[in-house]
Amino acid sequence: MSSDTHLHIENISKKFNTVDALRDVDLRIERGSFVCLLGPSGCGKTTLLRIIAGFETATKGRLILDGQDISQQPPHKRGFGMVFQSLALFPHMSVARNIGYGLKLRGVKGAAQRDRIEELLEVIQLPHIADRPVSALSGGQRQRVAIARALAIQPPLFLLDEPLSALDAKLRDNMQIELRQLQQKFGVTTVLVTHDQHEAMMLADELVVLKDGAVRQSAAPSQVYNQPADSFVADFLGAANLIDVGAIKGGTVDLFGTAVSTPAPHMDGDLMLAAVRAEHLGLAPAAAAGTAAPIGAVSFMRDLGPATEFVVTIQGKDLRVRRSNADAQGLDVGSQVALTFDPAQVSLFKAA
């Protein structure tokens, strides 16, 4: 991927009356990258997208696109492609006329417009329904038409606000794959707002996790997942087990009888939280375990299809453990189990 900054979101803040919707958001979005803004409801991700689109004005900060300050430009001058939850297609128009609408506004006529519409209909695999009214399409087909219409104008930026949230799980999964393939085919710099962690992990080159209007971490999905910046990120993405492990002593904390080294800049006496992902915990029948292994009891279990999730109560704490179905053989609610983990897969954070 090219390393040049396409869009610099420079110290953007936004106040609504006395409420800080965004606080000093500073991000550099690379050309051709797929960026996902992820976070709980009310974290500021849609406000940030609307500021990029030009529908909201920042209280402070600037938007720099290819070196040019576009902060005061109206939306129509920015020329960005947009798909929102509502899709906003024209129900009285055919598929082809919907896709060609932005081209028509820009004065693209005749053969050039037809060729572009045909190209996009092929790309979204709907060449046979050009003349069909949008109102007669399925949810997935309408989604593809909205994406094609946004991409028809060859926008410098492609902005999406939870565009797949209304689709059923199977269709949503298919559309995620199609959306990523389309983005890669056109090489368009894309910013997507979602609250769906799976969607963000699958689509993003860069994942931006927001909470209370501030960026908590911005990095590749694998880095955010495996090296979370703080306990909020660890818990929000993939639901880690957060365990109070007390104070650092001699450069380590005690996690169920195992010494886990604490990274700098933490010091002896600091109170710490440990975060361990459910899939990084192992279980074995207690009878087969060594004497040093911490023992707990299975208090709940559920079949997730390809895996089984357990809740294990150990030393007064309830931990989620996710194992393959083969590992789950012979275990049931009430089973006494030994807990195993690799200290290298434990993240440590200063307790609030």
Side-chain angles (χ1 to χ4, degrees), residues 284-295 338:
T291 52
I295 304 298

Side-chain angles (χ1 to χ4, degrees), residues 121-158:
L121 282 167
E122 286 290 342
V123 167
I124 63 170
Q125 298 169 19
L126 294 175
H128 55 290
I129 64 163
D131 299 324
R132 199 174 296 178
V134 162
S135 54
L137 304 185
S138 69
Q141 288 171 329
R142 279 200 293 272
Q143 201 70 49
R144 289 188 214 168
V145 171
I147 289 167
R149 184 179 69 178
L151 292 175
I153 60 172
Q154 298 177 301
L157 277 186
F158 187 29

Side-chain angles (χ1 to χ4, degrees), residues 1 6-7 9 27-37 49 52 65 80-83 147 150-151 155-163 176 178-193 203-208:
M1 189 183 299
H6 192 185
L7 177 70
I9 298 163
L27 296 166
R28 290 179 182 272
I29 294 174
E30 291 185 4
R31 192 177 312 281
S33 65
F34 198 125
V35 175
C36 281
L37 306 178
L49 195 78
I52 296 170
L65 183 74
F80 298 161
M82 287 174 266
V83 179
I147 289 167
L151 292 175
L157 277 186
F158 187 29
L159 309 177
L160 304 108
D161 187 8
E162 307 229 22
Q176 286 165 355
E178 287 186 23
L179 180 57
R180 185 59 165 141
Q181 288 174 329
L182 280 170
Q183 187 268 336
Q184 288 173 330
K185 177 181 172 62
F186 287 101
V188 60
T189 307
T190 299
V191 183
L192 172 102
V193 161
L203 290 171
D205 296 310
E206 176 116 358
L207 201 53
V208 180

Side-chain angles (χ1 to χ4, degrees), residues 45-224:
K45 53 190 187 293
T46 294
T47 299
L48 181 55
L49 195 78
R50 287 178 62 80
I51 287 171
I52 296 170
F55 299 135
E56 298 280 359
T57 306
T59 309
K60 189 186 91 176
R62 302 189 302 164
L63 288 173
I64 311 293
L65 183 74
D66 284 330
Q68 182 188 352
D69 187 343
I70 61 163
S71 309
Q72 303 305 317
Q73 256 187 11
H76 68 276
K77 288 277 177 70
R78 297 183 188 192
F80 298 161
M82 287 174 266
V83 179
F84 296 109
Q85 228 171 319
S86 62
L87 301 186
L89 294 168
F90 302 115
H92 61 286
M93 286 187 186
S94 69
V95 167
R97 285 180 65 205
N98 262 282
I99 292 173
Y101 185 76
L103 297 170
K104 183 181 170 187
L105 288 182
R106 284 162 177 77
V108 179
K109 296 175 185 169
Q113 188 186 117
R114 279 196 308 277
D115 289 349
R116 182 69 176 154
I117 291 168
E118 283 173 17
E119 179 196 359
L120 283 154
L121 282 167
E122 286 290 342
V123 167
I124 63 170
Q125 298 169 19
L126 294 175
H128 55 290
I129 64 163
D131 299 324
R132 199 174 296 178
V134 162
S135 54
L137 304 185
S138 69
Q141 288 171 329
R142 279 200 293 272
Q143 201 70 49
R144 289 188 214 168
V145 171
I147 289 167
R149 184 179 69 178
L151 292 175
I153 60 172
Q154 298 177 301
L157 277 186
F158 187 29
L159 309 177
L160 304 108
D161 187 8
E162 307 229 22
L164 310 181
S165 60
L167 304 179
D168 64 60
K170 173 79 175 143
L171 183 55
R172 183 173 186 154
D173 194 55
N174 290 340
M175 282 303 304
Q176 286 165 355
I177 294 168
E178 287 186 23
L179 180 57
R180 185 59 165 141
Q181 288 174 329
L182 280 170
Q183 187 268 336
Q184 288 173 330
K185 177 181 172 62
F186 287 101
V188 60
T189 307
T190 299
V191 183
L192 172 102
V193 161
T194 183
H195 64 272
D196 184 317
Q197 302 160 21
H198 172 76
E199 185 165 282
M201 290 289 293
M202 186 196 138
L203 290 171
D205 296 310
E206 176 116 358
L207 201 53
V208 180
V209 183
L210 292 124
K211 181 175 187 262
D212 299 333
V215 174
R216 302 299 281 261
Q217 189 167 6
S218 175
S222 59
Q223 186 178 338
V224 176

